[in-house]
Amino acid sequence: MFKRLTYGMVGGSKDSQIGIVHRKAINLHGKAELVCGSFSRNFKNTLATGKELKIDEKRLYRNYEEMAEEESKRSDKIDFVSIVTPNSSHYEVAKKFLESGINVMCEKPLTITLKEAEELKHLARKNNLLFAVAYSYTGYSMLRYARELIKRGEIGEVRFINGRYISEWMAKVPFAGKNSRHEWRSDPKVSGLSNCVADIGVHVDNVVSFLTGLKIKALTARMDKFVEPDRLDDNASILINYDNGAEGIYWTSQIAVGHENTLDIGIYGAKGSIEWSQEHANYLKISKVNHPFITLSRGSEEVDDFIKNDYVTPGGHQEGYVEAFARVYDKFINAISKRKKGALLEQIDLDFPTVEDGVKGMRFIEKCIESAEKGASWVEF
């Protein structure tokens, strides 16, 4: 019988958008229970959130340091912590819990510098702890099936990649001093060295890496500041050269009027191509040379059973963002449970975004910044 794990959360008060998403994703499979938290720097907000979530007040903490220290002493300490705070605190919070012997799931970007990300990777390995990063889009069923088709060589060697993650919200709201909920994203003291690339550009890079396994050899990036010239980027155009000779282009934007949350990926190979859109997540467009293209749905008989075994709802029903996020959490939780039983983990058990993916994301951000600061020059990855 599967015994439910326990977890705690840092950040994610009742008014937090992403904290609520994380909790819903974890709850979907019912394999972990939220038992403690430090949901806000304001303890009153933590208490109010804890009361709403029916958490024992004794396990509501004034700050993450107290939470990590007290939980590590308990015989029933939490199995993992979910970190959903703004970027600048990811490193210090994750470091504290890793030092306390607790597995970590952290929002992206992993940290605000590559050096910090590398330190967390080494600390997780040193303490033999699992560390996941919330690259949620890799949980979508049809992206996972696309990865399998590319791996089988269905579209041949990859030649070109087109990826974009674009939205409009920064075009609609001038930030500084006018939108407290989102203002931190363009504030370098909280967000780090980048806004747009760090917030959504890393998703494009992560999905491409997930699908193809290709490594970036070099890139050139132009990072724009249309809304607030004295703050952080809100738009970026990035050219990529990959290690197999393929090329790519990424467009990531928060000022693309007319787009709420558009993530589109196209992988073009010598024999065909695969295209996927987050707004039509149930489908893959598959094209092959000298054949008419087909649109494959997640309900199709052609989709492998090992993909369908992970379905929450059957094919023909729309798969949503929380379901994809839940799949990432489910695989992370399964790995913790297996290790907790004393079993050795195999590579298949680690089929979720790991701290290594978080480190790669930070390298991607820093290389884009390096290129932009050099006038969009090519830089080696």
Side-chain angles (χ1 to χ4, degrees), residues 337-354:
S337 296
K338 185 173 180 178
R339 177 174 281 183
K340 195 173 179 180
K341 294 174 183 175
L344 292 176
L345 297 183
E346 301 175 35
Q347 192 58 41
I348 194 171
D349 297 315
L350 302 175
D351 193 16
F352 55 84
T354 66

Side-chain angles (χ1 to χ4, degrees), residues 40-64:
S40 172
R41 295 181 186 275
N42 184 328
F43 190 48
K44 288 184 179 179
N45 288 344
T46 289
L47 291 174
T49 302
K51 183 178 181 180
E52 188 173 290
L53 296 171
K54 297 179 173 58
I55 297 173
D56 183 349
E57 191 171 323
K58 294 178 181 178
R59 295 181 81 171
L60 297 174
Y61 301 100
R62 293 184 177 277
N63 52 59
Y64 73 87

Side-chain angles (χ1 to χ4, degrees), residues 310-330:
D310 280 341
Y311 285 3
V312 175
T313 54
H317 298 79
Q318 188 68 26
E319 182 173 76
Y321 177 67
V322 172
E323 287 174 83
F325 213 145
R327 186 166 291 115
V328 171
Y329 260 112
D330 191 47

Side-chain angles (χ1 to χ4, degrees), residues 112-156:
I112 59 172
T113 70
L114 177 59
K115 182 177 182 293
E116 289 179 345
E118 292 278 8
E119 286 182 21
L120 292 181
K121 180 182 76 172
H122 293 310
L123 186 57
R125 287 180 177 177
K126 175 185 174 183
N127 292 351
N128 196 29
L129 293 166
L130 292 174
F131 196 136
V133 179
Y135 286 120
S136 50
Y137 296 104
T138 60
Y140 276 105
S141 298
M142 294 308 278
L143 268 185
R144 300 179 80 81
Y145 187 52
R147 177 181 62 170
E148 185 65 22
L149 294 178
I150 294 168
K151 190 184 299 182
R152 291 176 189 169
E154 291 289 331
I155 64 170

Side-chain angles (χ1 to χ4, degrees), residues 6-140:
T6 59
Y7 78 99
M9 182 169 280
V10 178
S13 68
K14 60 189 181 72
D15 298 322
S16 161
Q17 181 182 41
I18 197 62
I20 292 171
V21 171
H22 277 256
R23 291 194 288 271
K24 287 180 177 178
I26 296 169
N27 288 342
L28 194 61
H29 291 95
K31 294 181 181 179
E33 178 185 5
L34 179 62
V35 298
C36 71
S38 177
F39 300 107
S40 172
R41 295 181 186 275
N42 184 328
F43 190 48
K44 288 184 179 179
N45 288 344
T46 289
L47 291 174
T49 302
K51 183 178 181 180
E52 188 173 290
L53 296 171
K54 297 179 173 58
I55 297 173
D56 183 349
E57 191 171 323
K58 294 178 181 178
R59 295 181 81 171
L60 297 174
Y61 301 100
R62 293 184 177 277
N63 52 59
Y64 73 87
E65 294 100 334
E66 180 186 46
M67 178 174 160
E69 290 168 7
E70 292 301 315
E71 285 296 317
S72 67
K73 298 173 186 175
R74 297 178 65 102
S75 59
D76 61 346
K77 74 175 182 179
I78 52 174
D79 294 296
F80 69 94
V81 64
S82 178
I83 301 170
V84 293
T85 59
N87 305 352
S88 61
S89 59
H90 289 177
Y91 167 74
E92 60 185 30
V93 179
K95 183 173 183 286
K96 183 65 177 180
F97 279 90
L98 291 173
E99 290 173 340
S100 301
I102 296 171
N103 301 297
V104 172
M105 164 67 87
C106 186
E107 255 301 333
K108 38 60 43 196
L110 179 54
T111 54
I112 59 172
T113 70
L114 177 59
K115 182 177 182 293
E116 289 179 345
E118 292 278 8
E119 286 182 21
L120 292 181
K121 180 182 76 172
H122 293 310
L123 186 57
R125 287 180 177 177
K126 175 185 174 183
N127 292 351
N128 196 29
L129 293 166
L130 292 174
F131 196 136
V133 179
Y135 286 120
S136 50
Y137 296 104
T138 60
Y140 276 105

Side-chain angles (χ1 to χ4, degrees), residues 137 140 142-143 164 261-266 274-285 318-319:
Y137 296 104
Y140 276 105
M142 294 308 278
L143 268 185
R164 64 175 188 164
N261 195 60
T262 301
L263 172 60
D264 298 332
I265 303 291
I274 293 178
E275 298 174 357
W276 178 86
S277 172
Q278 192 265 155
E279 292 178 328
H280 306 281
N282 268 23
Y283 306 99
L284 289 180
K285 179 183 176 183
Q318 188 68 26
E319 182 173 76

